Amino acid sequence: MAKSQVFFTNLRTNPHSSLPDKMERLITRAGMTGMPLKDKFVAIKIHFGEPGNMAYIRPNFAARMAQVLRKAGAKPFLTDSNTLYSGRRSNAVDHLKSAMENGFNPISADCDVIIADGLKGTDQIEIPVENAEYCKAPKIGAAVANADVIISMTHFKGHEQAGFGGALKNLGMGAASVPGKLELHSNSQPKIDEEKCIGCGICVAHCAHDAIHLDDRRKAKIDYDKCVGCGQCVALCQHGGAVLADWDTSERLNYKIAEYTKAVIAGKPNFHVSFIMNVSPECDCWNHNDAAIVADIGILASFDPVALDQACADLVKAAPVLPTDNCLHDTHAHETLEGTDKFRVMHPDTDWEAGLEHAVKIGIGSREYDLITVP
């Protein structure tokens, strides 16, 4: 596959050029405004940040992106799907409130927010993926699946299961419905935590395969001869009673994320922006963010999410560890770790490269790229 183009701008500013100005020049130079945008519904896929976490992308960047898109005649909206785990983004009501608190609202972000998979995480469209090996028909949040154009805005950081969180994870995991997230995370059917099951029967009423019933203690029981592992019970249970039976390996998780990403962008114009800022060791899904491991580096953009992730990883690998109190400095106080795969050092059981290799294999993009600097 031929090299892809990845565009980069650093974070130097002056009185005539703010960071949102630089981002606009970057995405314009990279060709985003040349996409077919007029009268199109454009999903800006972004992570709103779990309240308490401060590392997520500032809403000022989302506002400028929305303004650029509207100027081109588009109908943009900010979006993310609900979470599989219990938290403040596991249903649309709490998720919207969290987004608003973090500045993703019509005032600060100059754009409306739509939760992609609906009230309880079950509004989804299954999109078949050609050449898929693990997820034949990924379950994508309906608002993303129905959009005409996909734009991703990604906070590039470490991740305890995937190695790092980049454009592929933002799209593949972030746009998946709650049942889709179950498919991504687990290689088995769900189970019932009887201590948390209150016998409300919502899982029974909504199981499309008649695989769940309440026993004589009013505890949910799963008939695994009927269960297809769709994750509807996990999505609907508001008490943590229906849960994952186990977690998949990092390699397989990253393979699945790649296939879900292909489903999100297949047949649609798509463009991707990543921010190497506040590079925290773990995901923005936590209600806190640990100290950054490297200094802020810049903003990158590309039509190829694979090349974009590779370029971001390469820049973080090349950078020295910050000589301040952070998780890498704790154990490598006398080393800069320049050129070292910091994500493997932080999360040794992960393999982020497996996901990029699989993404290349199924035709999403290339790991080979030319880095083009935009002033």
Side-chain angles (χ1 to χ4, degrees):
M1 184 174 286
K3 286 185 177 182
S4 295
Q5 291 185 323
V6 178
F7 294 80
F8 168 81
T9 191
N10 63 30
L11 302 177
R12 298 296 304 275
T13 64
N14 59 57
H16 306 289
S17 180
S18 68
L19 286 177
D21 292 336
K22 295 197 77 172
M23 186 199 77
E24 181 172 351
R25 282 202 302 277
L26 177 76
I27 61 179
T28 302
R29 174 71 177 82
M32 188 197 81
T33 52
M35 298 167 68
L37 296 170
K38 185 172 175 55
D39 297 325
K40 302 297 185 183
F41 291 105
V42 179
I44 304 174
K45 174 60 188 72
I46 197 167
H47 195 301
F48 301 126
E50 188 75 12
N53 188 297
M54 302 295 288
Y56 59 87
I57 298 169
R58 289 179 182 270
N60 312 66
F61 290 113
R64 182 60 66 90
M65 177 65 78
Q67 290 160 10
V68 171
L69 291 168
R70 280 198 297 270
K71 187 177 179 180
K75 303 178 187 296
F77 61 95
L78 299 170
T79 192
D80 197 7
S81 290
N82 292 308
T83 60
L84 178 63
Y85 59 85
S86 227
R88 289 194 55 195
R89 295 177 301 112
S90 61
N91 62 80
V93 174
D94 293 337
H95 201 162
L96 277 170
K97 189 172 187 299
S98 298
M100 299 299 165
E101 286 181 15
N102 282 344
F104 296 97
N105 56 61
I107 297 174
S108 300
D110 198 18
C111 196
D112 289 314
V113 174
I114 299 175
I115 303 305
D117 56 347
L119 183 63
K120 297 180 179 179
T122 55
D123 292 353
Q124 63 186 30
I125 294 175
E126 295 190 19
I127 301 176
V129 172
E130 186 179 358
N131 300 326
E133 297 178 28
Y134 303 91
C135 304
K136 301 296 184 182
K139 304 169 181 68
I140 306 302
V144 170
N146 285 323
D148 302 310
V149 178
I150 305 296
I151 304 289
S152 70
M153 298 182 71
T154 302
H155 170 223
F156 191 81
K157 69 279 181 185
H159 191 274
E160 55 277 19
Q161 291 175 292
F164 64 67
L168 293 182
K169 184 177 179 299
N170 182 22
L171 291 161
M173 180 69 75
S177 66
V178 170
K181 287 181 173 68
L182 176 72
E183 180 178 36
L184 286 162
H185 279 301
S186 181
N187 197 31
S188 62
Q189 295 153 309
K191 66 178 182 180
I192 301 299
D193 183 338
E194 290 194 353
E195 290 186 4
K196 294 182 178 178
C197 175
I198 66 167
C200 67
I202 191 170
C203 57
V204 178
H206 291 274
C207 179
H209 305 280
D210 193 30
I212 310 178
H213 68 276
L214 298 182
D215 64 14
D216 54 8
R217 298 172 300 138
R218 292 198 62 78
K219 299 293 183 181
K221 294 290 183 183
I222 298 176
D223 181 345
Y224 289 107
D225 289 333
K226 296 180 178 180
C227 176
V228 299
C230 70
Q232 182 88 333
C233 55
V234 177
L236 291 173
C237 183
Q238 299 300 300
H239 307 282
V243 296
L244 293 179
D246 57 32
W247 296 86
D248 222 333
T249 63
S250 173
E251 291 86 357
R252 191 185 292 263
L253 171 65
N254 280 320
Y255 298 153
K256 291 177 178 180
I257 286 172
E259 293 182 354
Y260 262 67
T261 299
K262 185 170 183 178
V264 170
I265 64 176
K268 295 181 180 180
N270 59 94
F271 184 80
H272 315 281
V273 186
S274 287
F275 298 76
I276 310 180
M277 303 174 180
N278 299 310
V279 185
S280 50
E282 296 180 339
C283 183
D284 293 347
C285 293
W286 291 101
N287 62 359
H288 66 279
N289 56 285
D290 203 356
I293 57 170
V294 297
D296 292 351
I297 294 174
I299 311 171
L300 294 87
S302 181
F303 285 102
D304 183 342
V306 182
L308 182 61
D309 274 359
Q310 184 67 60
C312 289
D314 289 343
L315 287 170
V316 173
K317 285 170 63 176
V321 173
L322 282 170
T324 52
D325 190 14
N326 60 63
C327 68
L328 286 175
H329 185 262
D330 286 348
T331 52
H332 299 272
H334 303 292
E335 304 172 63
T336 65
L337 297 182
E338 289 179 77
T340 301
D341 185 347
K342 299 167 183 64
F343 304 111
R344 280 289 186 91
V345 174
M346 292 187 296
H347 306 297
D349 294 328
T350 65
D351 183 5
W352 58 266
E353 291 192 85
L356 297 193
E357 282 298 320
H358 193 63
V360 172
K361 179 180 177 181
I362 62 176
I364 296 176
S366 171
R367 294 183 69 179
E368 301 296 322
Y369 63 90
D370 289 319
L371 193 65
I372 301 164
T373 299
V374 178

